[in-house]
Amino acid sequence: MPQRRPRPETRRCDAARAREEARERALGVRCRKRKPLAGARSSAGRAPAAAELAGARRLHLAGDGARCGRPGIAWARLRGPGAHARTSPQPWRGPSPAQAAMGFLQLLVVAVLASEHRVAGATEVFGNSSEGLIEFSVGKFRYFELNRPFPEEAILHDISSNVTFLIFQIHSQYQNTTVSFSPTLLSNASETGTASGLVFILRPEQSTCTWYLGTSGIQPVQNMAILLSYTERDPVPGGCNLEFDLDIDPNIYLEYNFFETTIKFAPANLGYARGVDPPPCDAGTDQDSRWRLQYDVYQYFLPENDLTEEMLLKHLQRMVSVPQVKANALKVITLTANDKTSVSFSSLPGQGVIYNVIVWDPFLNTSAAYVPAHTYACSFEAGEGSCASLGRVSSKVFFTLFALLGFFICFFGHRFWKTELFFIGFIIMGFFFYILITRLTPIKYDVNLILTAVAGSVGGMFLVAVWWRFGILSICMLCVGLVLGFLISSVTFFTPLGNLKIFHDDGVFWVTFSCIAILIPVVFMGCLRILNILTCGVIGSYSVVLAIDSYWSTSLSYITLNVLKRALNKDFRRAFTNVPFQTNDFIILAVWGMLAVSGITLQIRRERGRPFFPPHPYKLWKQERERRVTNILDPSYHIPPLRERLYGRLTQIKGLFQKEQPAGERTPLLL
């Protein structure tokens, strides 16, 4: 009897089901209970034989493109070991190239999904807890939101036995949050601020720690928090607090004004084991007490002109633990236990700065970090002068006009000598008059700026009048050289040289500053034209930098602003004048250098072969007047007197407003 050929529509690919199950196992999905292959014989509870699995693999390869038919009928039936198929199978030809490519893409997708699944499991971002409970892990950052009527309870489980104390810290951009040991807020058991932290001294056998978080603000507050652990060998930040409310205070307290930003912190104590009394803070000053500890103060600048909350919380992660602080921040100063735990810095309105302190035990070579504090030296909630609108309109108008004049001086200052003298006189008189008004009167900034512009204009016209009447070149060039020397001296103290402790004394600073400023005109006394052209190029181009700063903040403006702050505020002498130097500053520095070099080169080439300086204006006017008086053939000799000339001009102006008289007869002729 001839063999019956199976119909194509009745062939079913059992291998497709096996392939689907393999894909589900790769994705980590729990597989459903597998149905037996159609027509397969197997005893109850018996696993499929190896031949059956081999046959299933062959079916998977051969029947990829087969169309499913009626249930219960397969293309080949398995009957166990040694069983033969009722219908003869088609010869196996292997997968087609398209099928192989499709299989490779499927495996690639599975691998990508599996890797994403592993990465997603490592990230730890938390939102609001519906149950009011947040679980923390040591060293893991948490992001969550706090609302006013819904305080949160935080908990840490499975604390290691070698951990002696924990430091919990929570950060927000500008809204205050509160962390407390208990639900009831007590002054000596809670801390409120934008950067708040608590120290948990663990008891013997303690493995769980609980604390409470909340906010008093109306708006929800986005926060980032972390918990750090330390051993008995590590010093305890704020362990010898005598100034602030907490018994052990690891926080850094920050105050700022227009001139300086001051940070304060409590002294640390030596580490100790669980259940042991802490070492006394003032029992002695030998090497076995807390007086051997040292404090390293670090400063970290956020990206310029970026006030976003995401950027702050992202960079705060680099200023939390000791290794990260040392790797990313700038070490400013090292304090000993005998020094005052207070450091001042120059305020940078609109620039985000993060400060932190690392206490180091040189005997055990261990260290611990305080809770970092940040500031923008401005207010986010103020209506006028907030962080988002620091540039005043009056400043933009003033420095824009000043930059236009400076740009002209940069390229044509030596040629237009009187205009340059007005520019130099404006700078000298305006600078000193601004200091005088600010220190003696409480008037507003806008009024002060207007008076400064008026005083500077008077000073510029006075210097031009002195040159026109007396023509003393040495006096004029002394003023020009002093302005250039002032800028060069300011650049010198803008470098790290200005942060040396010796220059914190006002006498040493101003004497050194003045000597550098006077040295410049003395050095160039033999080549006054070069000195004048250099001043035009450097000072004129720097005025453009100041104008750019009024629209787009740059650290280069603090070259002269730091000197002005020191002249206005006596407490500024103790401040460190570090500023960020980032991509924006490099671009503006390149613009400044390009303008200065271009202006100097152009003026040197144009003035080649010309007289060094113009002649005395008053002598020229006097000689011209004598020539007109003695030479009756000169047409200017017959010029009418001044009174007649003014009367003639007035008559001409009056004629412009008179109605034109008609010409000729307009009445009809009488016959």
Side-chain angles (χ1 to χ4, degrees):
M1 186 176 183
Q3 279 188 337
R4 185 184 302 174
R5 178 177 296 178
R7 290 179 298 178
E9 62 270 13
T10 60
R11 291 181 301 177
R12 181 176 181 83
C13 221
D14 294 334
R17 186 177 303 165
R19 184 173 66 252
E20 182 180 358
E21 292 177 354
R23 186 182 302 113
E24 290 179 350
R25 286 195 299 271
L27 291 173
V29 181
R30 180 178 298 177
C31 298
R32 297 185 300 272
K33 185 177 179 181
R34 181 179 173 183
K35 296 181 180 180
L37 294 175
R41 294 182 178 179
S42 60
S43 59
R46 182 178 63 87
E52 292 178 343
L53 295 177
R57 293 192 189 97
R58 287 194 297 270
L59 290 175
H60 168 66
L61 294 175
D64 256 352
R67 190 172 55 182
C68 296
R70 292 176 296 181
I73 300 177
W75 175 70
R77 301 176 184 269
L78 299 180
R79 299 182 179 273
H84 62 277
R86 179 180 296 178
T87 57
S88 59
Q90 298 291 336
W92 181 73
R93 299 178 181 178
S96 65
Q99 295 171 352
M102 183 61 67
F104 176 75
L105 289 177
Q106 291 175 352
L107 292 176
L108 184 61
V109 170
V110 170
V112 171
L113 291 176
S115 63
E116 288 182 354
H117 179 73
R118 289 192 298 269
V119 173
T123 57
E124 302 186 43
V125 180
F126 285 76
N128 253 349
S129 176
S130 59
E131 301 178 357
L133 180 65
I134 304 177
E135 293 189 3
F136 279 84
S137 300
V138 175
K140 299 294 182 66
F141 290 94
R142 296 290 190 272
Y143 288 85
F144 54 91
E145 189 178 83
L146 290 178
N147 294 293
R148 181 177 181 180
F150 304 105
E152 302 282 352
E153 181 181 357
I155 190 170
L156 173 66
H157 296 288
D158 302 328
I159 302 176
S160 177
S161 59
N162 63 343
V163 175
T164 302
F165 66 95
L166 301 168
I167 296 181
F168 174 80
Q169 50 188 277
I170 181 173
H171 300 273
S172 60
Q173 187 175 30
Y174 64 92
Q175 296 170 287
N176 289 336
T177 55
T178 301
V179 54
S180 175
F181 288 111
S182 62
T184 304
L185 299 183
L186 302 175
S187 60
N188 61 346
S190 63
E191 182 67 22
T192 301
T194 57
S196 306
L198 294 177
V199 173
F200 299 87
I201 303 298
L202 300 177
R203 300 183 304 274
E205 306 301 330
Q206 182 180 357
S207 61
T208 303
C209 190
T210 306
W211 60 100
Y212 300 88
L213 309 173
T215 180
S216 59
I218 300 176
Q219 299 294 331
V221 184
Q222 183 68 30
N223 297 275
M224 181 194 71
I226 188 174
L227 196 68
L228 300 177
S229 62
Y230 294 93
T231 65
E232 62 182 24
R233 295 171 57 88
D234 300 321
V236 182
C240 288
N241 174 39
L242 297 175
E243 183 178 358
F244 308 108
D245 294 333
L246 293 174
D247 296 333
I248 302 177
D249 197 339
N251 297 283
I252 297 176
Y253 294 90
L254 188 146
E255 299 176 353
Y256 71 88
N257 53 33
F258 174 76
F259 298 99
E260 61 178 346
T261 298
T262 303
I263 63 171
K264 299 179 181 179
F265 56 94
N269 199 358
L270 299 178
Y272 51 94
R274 292 194 188 188
V276 179
D277 293 335
C281 293
D282 297 321
T285 58
D286 55 0
Q287 292 298 316
D288 293 332
S289 63
R290 62 103 177 174
W291 296 93
R292 74 189 188 201
L293 300 178
Q294 298 180 8
Y295 304 89
D296 297 331
V297 182
Y298 286 84
Q299 186 180 33
Y300 181 87
F301 295 106
L302 297 177
E304 289 180 312
N305 302 310
D306 194 329
L307 304 176
T308 59
E309 185 178 52
E310 294 79 10
M311 186 61 65
L312 170 65
L313 299 181
K314 173 185 176 182
H315 286 271
L316 269 171
Q317 298 183 14
R318 304 180 182 180
M319 290 293 290
V320 172
S321 63
V322 174
Q324 292 173 330
V325 173
K326 291 182 177 180
N328 297 290
L330 172 67
K331 182 180 176 180
V332 178
I333 189 175
T334 298
L335 303 175
T336 63
N338 297 320
D339 296 325
K340 188 176 181 180
T341 55
S342 176
V343 184
S344 296
F345 301 86
S346 174
S347 292
L348 309 174
Q351 171 62 51
V353 189
I354 305 174
Y355 301 98
N356 204 347
V357 178
I358 292 179
V359 54
W360 175 53
D361 188 346
F363 186 77
L364 300 176
N365 194 23
T366 57
S367 56
Y370 282 71
V371 177
H374 67 276
T375 180
Y376 293 88
C378 57
S379 175
F380 281 86
E381 298 175 335
E384 181 180 357
S386 64
C387 293
S389 60
L390 285 175
R392 295 175 178 265
V393 177
S394 57
S395 297
K396 294 179 180 180
V397 173
F398 178 86
F399 286 106
T400 300
L401 296 177
F402 183 70
L404 293 176
L405 180 59
F407 186 81
F408 178 82
I409 296 299
C410 178
F411 291 93
F412 308 100
H414 188 74
R415 184 74 174 271
F416 296 89
W417 171 244
K418 295 177 184 178
T419 307
E420 180 196 348
L421 290 180
F422 175 83
F423 182 70
I424 298 298
F426 182 91
I427 294 175
I428 296 175
M429 184 60 71
F431 182 80
F432 286 105
F433 195 78
Y434 182 85
I435 295 175
L436 186 65
I437 294 178
T438 304
R439 298 197 66 168
L440 298 180
T441 61
I443 60 177
K444 295 183 178 180
Y445 173 79
D446 295 338
V447 179
N448 193 352
L449 203 60
I450 294 174
L451 295 178
T452 300
V454 174
S457 301
V458 172
M461 291 186 291
F462 177 77
L463 187 59
V464 173
V466 168
W467 162 252
W468 189 90
R469 178 61 183 83
F470 300 102
I472 304 176
L473 183 63
S474 58
I475 295 179
C476 297
M477 288 306 302
L478 177 63
C479 296
V480 172
L482 286 177
V483 172
L484 180 61
F486 172 84
L487 183 59
I488 292 178
S489 183
S490 301
V491 172
T492 302
F493 285 97
F494 183 72
T495 62
L497 181 67
N499 288 327
L500 295 179
K501 192 173 183 179
I502 188 175
F503 294 119
H504 288 186
D505 182 81
D506 278 338
V508 176
F509 173 82
W510 288 115
V511 169
T512 308
F513 187 91
S514 302
C515 290
I516 297 175
I518 295 175
L519 183 63
I520 300 302
V522 172
V523 170
F524 289 94
M525 192 58 67
C527 44
L528 296 180
R529 183 170 69 172
I530 297 298
L531 173 62
N532 190 56
I533 293 177
L534 287 176
T535 303
C536 292
V538 176
I539 302 298
S541 57
Y542 184 71
S543 65
V544 178
V545 174
L546 293 179
I548 294 175
D549 179 72
S550 62
Y551 295 93
W552 190 29
S553 296
T554 171
S555 298
L556 296 178
S557 62
Y558 289 95
I559 293 175
T560 53
L561 186 57
N562 286 338
V563 180
L564 182 62
K565 285 183 177 182
R566 185 142 192 179
L568 292 174
N569 191 297
K570 62 180 181 179
D571 294 331
F572 190 76
R573 64 179 183 270
R574 63 187 181 184
F576 290 91
T577 56
N578 298 325
V579 295
F581 214 77
Q582 301 175 4
T583 305
N584 301 341
D585 305 303
F586 284 107
I587 295 175
I588 298 176
L589 180 62
V591 173
W592 181 17
M594 180 189 66
L595 290 176
V597 172
S598 302
I600 293 171
T601 304
L602 178 64
Q603 294 193 70
I604 289 177
R605 292 179 62 87
R606 187 177 60 242
E607 298 300 324
R608 187 178 300 170
R610 295 174 178 266
F612 282 3
F613 289 93
H616 186 192
Y618 179 73
K619 288 184 178 180
L620 290 180
W621 177 80
K622 193 173 182 180
Q623 292 174 1
E624 184 69 18
R625 188 183 63 176
E626 292 177 356
R627 185 182 63 82
R628 290 199 304 267
V629 170
T630 56
N631 187 7
I632 61 174
L633 298 179
D634 189 356
S636 61
Y637 179 80
H638 304 283
I639 296 177
L642 179 60
R643 180 181 298 177
E644 296 182 5
R645 283 182 287 169
L646 292 177
Y647 183 76
R649 290 293 178 87
L650 290 175
T651 304
Q652 293 178 0
I653 295 174
K654 184 179 179 181
L656 295 175
F657 299 96
Q658 290 181 352
K659 187 176 181 181
E660 184 179 0
Q661 296 296 330
E665 185 68 36
R666 292 199 174 192
T667 58
L669 294 177
L670 298 178
L671 297 178

